[in-house]
Amino acid sequence: MFTLIPFYSQLIRKSRTRKMPLKLAVAVFLVALLVVNTVAESPYRFYEFNVTYGTISPLGVKQKGILINGQFPGPDIYSVTNDNVIINVFNYLDEPFLISWNGIQNRRNSFQDGVWGTTCPIPPGKNFTYVLQVKDQIGSFYYFPSTAFHKAAGGFGGFRILSRPGIPVPFPEPAGDFTVLIGDWYKSNHTYLKSILDRNHKLPFVDGILINGQGRNGASFTVEQGKTYRLRICNVGLEHSLNFRIQDHKMTLVEVEGTHTMQEIYSSLDVHVGQCYSVLFTADQAPKDFYIVASNRFSSILIDTTAVLHYSNSNQQVSGFPPGGPTIEIGWSLNQARSIRTNLSASGPRPNPQGSYHYGMINTTRTIRLANSAGQVNGKQRYAVNSVSFVPTDTPLKLVDYFKIGGFTVGNIPDAPPGGGIHLDTSVLQTDYRTFIEIVFENKEGIMQSWHLNGYAFWVVGMDGGKWTPASRNQYNLRDAVSRSTTQVYPKSWTAIYIALDNVGLWNLRSEFWARQYLGQQLYMNVYTESTSLRDVYPIPINALLCGKVAGRHKRPL
């Protein structure tokens, strides 16, 4: 795999140094690609992202937003299982920038993960060519900026992976397929919000909710009466779980972050921060316009926003109040989460049923309990996992290890909450390649939490209120739990997951409550094997060596 990537990187380098025009470099590469594809290498798809600032006003107030190719949100990435996706990102901001690919597994190649622990940010005026292979994946995902609280300014977009031709999908092809990015939003610029966090203070309550980068009734989706459509709904926000609903229409859940699900019907759906769902709905009502609603959950302050579902033969605009939804009911949401199960008879990325991997019959070799907490360190607000509040090194961890620079200790976070106060450290959890482990997220706080693990999908085997004990395993779903990359943990509750550690590398495990992540509620999981340590099967991209103590260290020619 990636046999053409060194050649492609060389051409891009020559184009940057003006030894070869970029268009000519791409043309030369495409000719080589035609030759390589004759020996059945997976197809290549090319994207160029130009990242700039621009004026946006989604809530009626002008502010500085981050645009991708002049768009807010950015363009969708379309791909098919096993495609090689080449994304050349040019940073025209005035500060370093990184994009991460939420849910894309980057098999054995965490240098492409787009987070601070694995690669250097792209300096202003420079570019970075991401090389991703969506190996054995299908489903609905998204990308977002991972550095400097840029997520509060935009820079996000949808990322879909379609099934290969000939692989059966457990529902008829819909008449249309829409990306729906929902999320909470501030009217303040991200630089102001970052300055609050940099002083180690809490952020104020959000100002509103957006649907596809627009406020109330700004986004619109046109459908034809009688036809069925797919919505890929992702919560790309900063903090709040959101409830999603369509006035007078039912939704059939069909996919969750790469897993085909049992086709349960819902009138509304809770989408927690970082999560993606695919639903089908049929335009089976009288020809008029209907509200699409996203509203926050589990908060005493209620906010919502609307988009418009427009029937192509409509003669009546939306009017009146949008339909209400659940507000603070935890039990309702917990029961809905438990109802989401894997469709064991459906094919996944390969032509075999998803249920062929019997995760419930495998003995776990280790249990790791991770508890979130909040507190003060030296009079400043911090957030922690097992009492460790993450602080980044000046050089990405993977590069620190590769060049033996030192500066952090692998295994410096305990397997269970130790109690006591919060302390600062660069937390790296040591795990072993090809083991099967259990992680229990424990949330003793009265807030909603959402956790994401880069590089992996895991089985969400159980969740409940109260304190987790070994006896809690008696209620685990060991047959058809959904496999995904982001899970919620309800207030004063726990969630348990099973993971097969089959993806060597260094992977970010983080709270999706973004202010908490920024102030320390994250860690890195080192999936270790003696033959590779923190290294991957692919060499370090030279344009990843741009920061800290590794700047300019070229270990190999392009």
Side-chain angles (χ1 to χ4, degrees):
M1 289 178 289
F2 299 125
T3 54
L4 277 177
I5 297 310
F7 177 55
Y8 177 72
S9 300
Q10 186 178 28
L11 292 174
I12 292 299
R13 186 186 187 191
K14 287 182 177 179
S15 73
R16 293 203 304 268
T17 57
R18 298 188 180 183
K19 294 179 180 179
M20 179 184 295
L22 179 59
K23 290 184 178 179
L24 177 58
V26 172
V28 171
F29 181 72
L30 289 175
V31 171
L33 181 61
L34 289 174
V35 175
V36 170
N37 276 341
T38 64
V39 293
E41 186 173 10
S42 297
Y44 283 74
R45 295 177 187 267
F46 296 91
Y47 291 87
E48 183 174 296
F49 278 10
N50 294 294
V51 182
T52 60
Y53 285 126
T55 300
I56 59 175
S57 51
L59 294 179
V61 175
K62 290 183 178 180
Q63 61 187 121
K64 182 169 67 174
I66 293 178
L67 313 181
I68 307 289
N69 296 346
Q71 301 177 38
F72 170 71
D76 275 4
I77 294 176
Y78 292 82
S79 61
V80 175
T81 301
N82 294 345
D83 279 356
N84 298 298
V85 183
I86 314 300
I87 308 163
N88 198 3
V89 179
F90 291 84
N91 178 17
Y92 294 108
L93 307 184
D94 56 3
E95 55 187 333
F97 181 81
L98 270 179
I99 292 182
S100 189
W101 320 95
N102 216 67
I104 305 304
Q105 293 179 10
N106 294 311
R107 302 293 301 176
R108 305 181 75 181
N109 195 15
S110 55
F111 284 119
Q112 305 294 335
D113 219 19
V115 290
W116 174 258
T118 59
T119 192
C120 293
I122 309 167
K126 303 295 184 180
N127 73 301
F128 183 93
T129 303
Y130 288 92
V131 179
L132 315 176
Q133 189 185 33
V134 290
K135 178 69 175 174
D136 290 335
Q137 284 192 267
I138 58 167
S140 307
F141 309 97
Y142 68 93
Y143 61 86
F144 71 99
S146 64
T147 47
F149 218 65
H150 287 135
K151 193 179 182 187
F156 45 73
F159 194 134
R160 64 181 64 178
I161 308 173
L162 305 177
S163 296
R164 288 177 292 167
I167 306 297
V169 175
F171 49 85
E173 184 172 349
D177 191 334
F178 300 104
T179 294
V180 185
L181 303 179
I182 60 177
D184 49 15
W185 192 257
Y186 287 94
K187 293 179 181 178
S188 301
N189 289 336
H190 76 282
T191 49
Y192 172 72
L193 300 173
K194 179 177 177 293
S195 71
I196 295 175
L197 295 174
D198 286 343
R199 296 193 301 272
N200 294 79
H201 296 312
K202 295 181 180 179
L203 293 181
F205 195 81
V206 297
D207 295 308
I209 299 171
L210 305 184
I211 298 178
N212 282 356
Q214 301 186 65
R216 192 169 300 276
N217 291 345
S220 180
F221 303 87
T222 299
V223 296
E224 294 185 30
Q225 190 177 25
K227 294 186 177 181
T228 298
Y229 295 84
R230 180 175 185 170
L231 302 180
R232 300 174 187 263
I233 309 159
C234 295
N235 185 338
V236 298
L238 301 171
E239 172 182 348
H240 287 277
S241 299
L242 301 178
N243 182 265
F244 182 88
R245 51 199 181 272
I246 308 173
Q247 183 181 23
D248 295 339
H249 292 74
K250 299 291 186 182
M251 299 178 292
T252 301
L253 183 66
V254 294
E255 178 255 331
V256 172
E257 295 164 25
T259 299
H260 291 306
T261 62
M262 298 297 291
Q263 296 183 13
E264 302 288 345
I265 298 174
Y266 302 99
S267 57
S268 70
L269 188 64
D270 277 356
V271 186
H272 306 280
V273 185
Q275 293 184 338
C276 292
Y277 292 88
S278 277
V279 300
L280 301 178
F281 76 93
T282 300
D284 55 4
Q285 301 298 305
K288 64 173 188 176
D289 291 355
F290 297 86
Y291 285 113
I292 297 174
V293 188
S295 59
N296 69 325
R297 296 282 271 118
F298 318 116
S299 173
S300 59
I301 303 174
L302 302 180
I303 53 176
D304 66 13
T305 196
T306 54
V308 175
L309 178 65
H310 172 70
Y311 279 42
S312 60
N313 58 343
S314 169
N315 54 17
Q316 183 179 342
Q317 295 182 342
V318 292
S319 61
F321 294 102
T327 54
I328 60 173
E329 303 90 342
I330 294 175
W332 183 94
S333 185
L334 178 61
N335 287 334
Q336 182 179 83
R338 288 170 172 163
S339 72
I340 299 172
R341 298 169 296 135
T342 297
N343 184 343
L344 298 180
S345 63
S347 295
R350 298 181 180 183
N352 55 287
Q354 296 179 133
S356 60
Y357 191 93
H358 299 291
Y359 69 91
M361 299 177 67
I362 303 173
N363 292 326
T364 57
T365 58
R366 182 179 176 188
T367 295
I368 299 169
R369 295 165 45 217
L370 300 177
N372 51 274
S373 60
Q376 299 280 315
V377 178
N378 300 324
K380 297 181 178 181
Q381 182 67 46
R382 296 294 298 184
Y383 301 98
V385 185
N386 285 3
S387 298
V388 185
S389 185
F390 183 87
V391 289
T393 54
D394 64 352
T395 305
L397 302 181
K398 284 184 66 66
L399 302 176
V400 167
D401 173 76
Y402 186 88
F403 291 104
K404 305 302 179 186
I405 296 170
F408 73 98
T409 302
V410 175
N412 59 355
I413 181 170
D415 277 13
I422 293 174
H423 67 278
L424 306 179
D425 203 349
T426 305
S427 39
V428 178
L429 183 68
Q430 180 79 332
T431 59
D432 292 325
Y433 184 48
R434 297 199 182 283
T435 56
F436 192 78
I437 68 171
E438 172 188 42
I439 294 181
V440 181
F441 296 103
E442 299 180 350
N443 181 12
K444 299 178 182 178
E445 299 181 77
I447 52 94
M448 189 73 189
Q449 276 278 228
S450 186
W451 291 91
H452 177 86
L453 176 59
N454 280 8
Y456 280 90
F458 46 72
W459 290 274
V460 184
V461 294
M463 56 179 65
D464 205 354
K467 181 180 179 180
W468 181 90
T469 69
S472 302
R473 297 187 179 111
N474 294 332
Q475 61 175 281
Y476 282 5
N477 178 353
L478 299 181
R479 185 175 186 273
D480 60 358
V482 71
S483 175
R484 63 187 316 166
S485 58
T486 309
T487 187
Q488 71 271 33
V489 190
Y490 292 96
K492 300 186 183 301
S493 301
W494 57 267
T495 294
I497 65 174
Y498 281 176
I499 311 175
L501 296 179
D502 60 354
N503 195 10
V504 69
L506 190 71
W507 305 102
N508 188 228
L509 175 60
R510 61 176 177 266
S511 169
E512 290 285 358
F513 191 142
W514 211 243
R516 284 177 164 247
Q517 178 270 350
Y518 187 85
L519 291 181
Q521 207 156 82
Q522 61 171 310
L523 57 94
Y524 282 83
M525 180 183 289
N526 173 31
V527 182
Y528 174 82
T529 172
E530 288 187 1
S531 62
T532 59
S533 185
L534 298 186
R535 303 173 189 84
D536 301 58
V537 296
Y538 300 104
I540 299 175
I542 287 182
N543 54 357
L545 303 172
L546 299 172
C547 63
K549 297 175 182 177
V550 300
R553 293 200 187 199
H554 290 16
K555 283 292 185 180
R556 63 180 179 87
L558 273 171

